[in-house]
Amino acid sequence: MKKLAVVLIALGGLLSGCVAYEQPYHDRPAYRDRDRDGVPNRYDRDRDGDGVPNRYDRYPDNPRRY
C-alpha cells in the first residue's frame, strides 16, 4: 500500500508540471484593442480612437496626439 501511495504521489508530481495555461483571448498581441471599440488593433483603421485614421496620424497609439 505504501508503494502505491509513493508511486501515485510521484506520478502526480510529474504530471503537475505538464499543465500548459493559454493566454486569455483579449491579452494576445494580435487581439488587443487599444480604444475598446471591438475591433482588434491589427484591423482597426483608428486604433487609438482619436478620430484621425492611422495612415494620417503621426502617433497612431496615442489618443492625445495626432
Side-chain angles (χ1 to χ4, degrees), residues 12-64:
L14 287 173
L15 292 177
S16 68
C18 296
V19 178
Y21 296 99
E22 191 173 326
Q23 277 186 314
Y25 177 80
H26 63 282
D27 285 340
R28 295 180 189 167
Y31 299 103
R32 290 193 181 127
D33 184 15
R34 180 175 296 280
D35 59 354
R36 299 179 185 188
D37 63 353
V39 180
N41 289 337
R42 175 184 237 169
Y43 305 109
D44 198 349
R45 292 176 188 234
D46 179 24
R47 66 178 170 251
D48 60 1
D50 63 357
V52 179
N54 293 333
R55 66 189 322 189
Y56 301 115
D57 197 345
R58 291 177 56 197
Y59 303 96
D61 294 324
N62 188 343
R64 292 177 184 84

